Amino acid sequence: MEPRSVGIVTAQVARFEEPFVFRSGRSIPSFELVYETYGRLNAQRSNAVLVCHALNASHHVAGVYADDTAALGWWDNMVGPGKPLDTDRFFVIGVNNLGGCFGSTGPKHPNPATGRPYGADFPVVTVEDWVNAQARLADHLGIARFAAVMGGSLGAMQAMQWAIAYPQRVAHALVIASTPRLSAQNIAFNEVARQAIITDPDFHGGHFYAHGVVPARGLRVARMIGHITYLSDDVMAEKFGRDLRDGLKYGYGTEFQIESYLRYQGEKFSEYFDANTYLLITKALDYFDPAAACGGDLAAALRPAAQVRFLVVSFTTDWRFSPARSREIVDALTANRAEVSYAEIDAPHGHDEFLLEDPRYHALARAYYDAIAETCRP
Amino acid sequence: MTVRAMRSPRPDFTIIAGMVRPGARVLDLGCGDGALMRFLAGARGVKGYGIEIDDANVLAALINGVNVLQGNLERGLASFADASFDTVLLSQTLQAMRNIEALMREMVRVGREAVVSFPNFRYEPHFRQLEAGRMPVSRSLPFQWHNTPNVHLCTLMDFEDLCAQLRIEIVERVALADGRPVALDPNVNSELAIYRVRAGG
């Protein structure tokens, strides 16, 4: 294990007996959230940072498990002792969102009304719902105000939503590789992924658990589609080009290296990810649009968030959520005279860059957290 | 702009501070490492943003505690509303800009006032170097002809002509040499000029 790791971590469960009402109007009588924490909460309870996950990640942000030392947290290069989000100074929380498939209450869990798994009957979740559930977890942990809420992509939407819905409960929001709303093209990709899952005969209307199968073919295709949007054209060309595995075979097997790569990614994903959760999360992405409640005026939507300080970061080759989308967020914040810094990192890897250890990006995150650490000193 | 970070200490900081009202909302174009914004925040309690294109400077400005927005000034200031700042600053960056007319118009649109500083090309020691046959190199023009980022050098008279042409009103002018104000023939005797301007009628 590398020396700058949080080391062996253990997931915990918080149970909430009060009903949770979703934005859709539906509700569940109780729920559980699975989470992990790293570092120590200080006596003033002022050094807590919430890290929100994107599409396929979980509460397992950093470190490894005692029984699975290969299972490295998804943002381990960002979170740990001496890392940009330094667990020697901050108390960091990762949480699996409501509707997830890594332990928090979701489609795999029994529906109290039927005794069978919710399946496709689990209420459709929104970013607002997730943040409201995370606020319950913050209450549970005795955290009145986060030093920061941070996320990339869909995770950054949650950071934005925290600043909008609970501005008094978050000092800083770090919004990485995100967008104030999905474009028609973004929604289109999500819809292809959903159709791949829904039309898989093994999906059984979302109740495949009872049939002892999973819609693995649908999940594979969904993941392949998603993965294409995470990478830049350049990096795909550089990594795979038109390379062949073993010459042309004049058939439909795996010929090009890119096909092999995508199939491998799809296969791996279909082995651990829940199809209903994938559907829910893509809908949460599609629905997120804080400006919609203000007639499309993002500045008006972010007015309550203006008391929160922001760091917004985008990556030049990210065509999924391009720098122009991040600049919309920045413009809406400056229109409200909010404290905001913005960096546009010229980096080759597309949307995925936010998970990589780009030195300029990590130096900015480190500098930003250094400044936050000064403010939450006792 | 990297032109900015290379110069310090900066004699124009205190002059610029005197041209900015306490507590003003300020936009610093080409803020470099954020030293000026940091100075003004301390000296005048200003708030606002710096705009900077260079990665290393963006990081330095962030470390300096400045709200820095990475962007290219040549793309304009379209995202900022009219009169959304008390003062827009352009400190020793004018001479490195391509489209000066458009930028000057934008500055007095977005700011109620603008403060512009630039090195004076007609400064007598520069002139003497030209007479001796070589491009001037000095404290205010620290580059060689082949590596300078400066593409639009001018004199005080040139700048005042452009302001007149763009109907930009000059409210105040301070000309400096060796960090001290120059009263006598500033077009010849000053190495650095600082103007406070606003949109004219």
Side-chain angles (χ1 to χ4, degrees):
Chain A
M1 200 189 307
E2 67 148 321
R4 294 193 310 157
S5 168
V6 296
I8 289 168
V9 298
T10 312
Q12 299 172 75
V13 182
R15 181 155 185 86
F16 303 92
E17 296 294 350
E18 295 284 302
F20 185 89
V21 182
F22 292 81
R23 195 176 166 211
S24 65
R26 295 185 55 195
S27 64
I28 52 177
S30 63
F31 66 101
E32 291 181 350
L33 291 178
V34 174
Y35 66 99
E36 289 177 11
T37 69
Y38 323 102
R40 289 174 62 183
L41 188 60
N42 64 18
Q44 296 75 30
R45 299 178 169 267
S46 63
N47 68 332
V49 174
L50 178 66
V51 174
C52 303
H53 69 75
L55 211 161
N56 64 315
S58 70
H59 53 282
H60 186 39
V61 175
V64 295
Y65 294 130
D67 61 353
D68 187 357
T69 51
L72 193 65
W74 60 272
W75 220 350
D76 193 81
N77 61 27
M78 180 67 78
V79 179
K83 291 182 181 175
L85 176 43
D86 187 348
T87 50
D88 288 338
R89 297 191 292 185
F90 292 102
F91 178 66
V92 180
I93 302 161
V95 56
N96 185 213
N97 280 325
L98 204 52
C101 56
F102 298 107
S104 293
T105 300
K108 287 194 288 192
H109 287 80
N111 179 346
T114 64
R116 293 192 301 274
Y118 278 106
D121 296 332
F122 193 85
V124 170
V125 292
T126 62
V127 170
E128 291 88 333
D129 294 328
W130 282 337
V131 167
N132 291 338
Q134 290 162 3
R136 294 259 200 109
L137 179 64
D139 296 342
H140 171 80
L141 296 173
I143 295 160
R145 188 168 191 252
F146 284 107
V149 178
M150 178 186 203
S153 190
L154 174 59
M157 292 176 177
Q158 294 158 58
M160 269 185 272
Q161 179 59 28
W162 263 98
I164 292 168
Y166 301 100
Q168 72 289 358
R169 296 194 68 174
V170 47
H172 296 261
L174 287 86
V175 173
I176 319 290
S178 197
T179 176
R181 78 192 73 77
L182 261 60
S183 67
Q185 188 192 47
N186 294 145
I187 295 171
F189 279 115
N190 280 346
E191 174 58 4
V192 174
R194 282 191 293 267
Q195 285 301 317
I197 291 169
I198 290 167
T199 59
D200 184 325
D202 286 338
F203 184 61
H204 295 287
H207 296 286
F208 49 88
Y209 315 104
H211 298 263
V213 293
V214 294
R217 283 162 293 183
L219 270 170
R220 277 185 221 125
V221 174
R223 181 59 171 170
M224 288 165 81
I225 284 275
H227 218 88
I228 295 167
T229 69
Y230 305 149
L231 301 179
S232 69
D233 190 21
D234 284 352
V235 86
M236 252 195 212
E238 188 197 321
K239 224 168 156 179
F240 308 104
R242 294 181 53 83
D243 294 353
L244 299 169
R245 291 182 74 207
D246 187 23
L248 291 176
K249 301 284 189 223
Y250 300 95
Y252 301 108
T254 313
E255 296 186 301
F256 291 94
Q257 288 291 4
I258 182 63
E259 296 175 318
S260 166
Y261 174 78
L262 287 177
R263 287 186 196 196
Y264 171 75
Q265 293 293 338
E267 188 62 41
K268 216 171 52 169
F269 188 68
S270 70
E271 285 164 8
Y272 72 83
F273 210 84
D274 179 72
N276 285 308
T277 290
Y278 198 90
L279 297 178
L280 286 175
I281 293 182
T282 59
K283 288 308 271 188
L285 273 161
D286 291 359
Y287 289 149
F288 184 71
D289 183 8
C294 300
D297 183 347
L298 186 61
L302 286 174
R303 202 153 293 145
Q307 58 179 287
V308 178
R309 290 169 173 242
F310 279 78
L311 176 67
V312 179
V313 179
S314 72
F315 302 100
T316 50
T317 54
D318 182 353
W319 57 276
R320 180 181 171 90
F321 299 155
S322 73
R325 302 283 79 78
S326 284
R327 284 198 296 267
E328 285 183 53
I329 298 166
V330 171
D331 290 348
L333 288 168
T334 59
N336 283 302
R337 304 184 167 192
E339 306 265 358
V340 52
S341 285
Y342 170 62
E344 199 169 297
I345 309 286
D346 187 10
H349 295 96
H351 190 59
D352 255 359
E353 192 83 34
F354 88 86
L355 292 169
L356 305 179
E357 205 173 333
D358 181 289
R360 290 157 300 172
Y361 158 47
H362 273 219
L364 286 164
R366 181 183 295 278
Y368 198 75
Y369 274 115
D370 282 350
I372 299 176
E374 289 299 314
T375 66
C376 48
R377 245 182 235 271
Chain B
M1 291 284 145
T2 47
V3 273
R4 176 83 71 90
M6 305 185 69
R7 294 196 194 87
S8 81
R10 297 277 304 274
D12 52 338
F13 279 16
T14 48
I15 305 292
I16 292 171
M19 294 181 171
V20 175
R21 73 163 177 78
R25 286 192 49 76
V26 169
L27 182 66
D28 183 11
L29 305 179
C31 71
D33 63 4
L36 176 58
M37 281 298 276
R38 189 189 169 101
F39 177 79
L40 294 175
R44 306 296 272 174
V46 307
K47 285 186 175 299
Y49 311 98
I51 298 183
E52 176 56 42
I53 194 167
D54 177 73
D55 287 341
N57 276 338
V58 168
L59 176 61
L62 197 71
I63 289 170
N64 262 326
V66 170
N67 290 321
V68 59
L69 308 176
Q70 191 161 23
N72 186 348
L73 297 179
E74 305 283 6
R75 289 199 207 127
L77 306 174
S79 59
F80 297 106
D82 293 0
S84 50
F85 293 91
D86 296 307
T87 305
V88 176
L89 304 174
L90 187 69
S91 169
Q92 298 195 47
T93 300
L94 179 83
Q95 74 280 0
M97 300 301 300
R98 304 267 160 190
N99 194 346
I100 285 178
E101 281 187 42
L103 186 66
M104 294 272 292
R105 285 199 182 92
E106 279 289 87
M107 288 179 71
V108 296
R109 176 186 69 79
V110 167
R112 289 187 177 84
E113 292 189 339
V115 171
V116 181
S117 72
F118 57 87
N120 176 21
F121 195 67
R122 177 59 185 84
Y123 182 41
E124 190 58 19
H126 295 158
F127 188 71
R128 283 202 295 270
Q129 288 184 56
L130 271 175
E131 274 190 328
R134 288 204 164 76
M135 282 294 282
V137 177
S138 69
R139 184 174 46 192
S140 60
L141 298 176
F143 304 97
Q144 296 292 333
W145 66 273
H146 53 85
N147 65 11
T148 180
N150 298 332
V151 292
H152 284 134
L153 290 160
C154 68
T155 68
L156 278 63
M157 287 168 70
D158 289 331
F159 181 77
E160 290 174 19
D161 286 351
L162 180 64
C163 286
Q165 188 191 317
L166 298 176
R167 305 174 72 86
I168 289 172
E169 178 193 350
I170 294 169
V171 184
E172 186 181 356
R173 181 186 75 186
V174 175
L176 296 177
D178 290 329
R180 282 189 291 275
V182 173
L184 183 72
D185 199 0
N187 198 52
V188 170
N189 294 323
S190 67
E191 75 182 310
L192 187 69
I194 305 148
Y195 285 84
R196 182 158 65 95
V197 302
R198 64 186 172 212

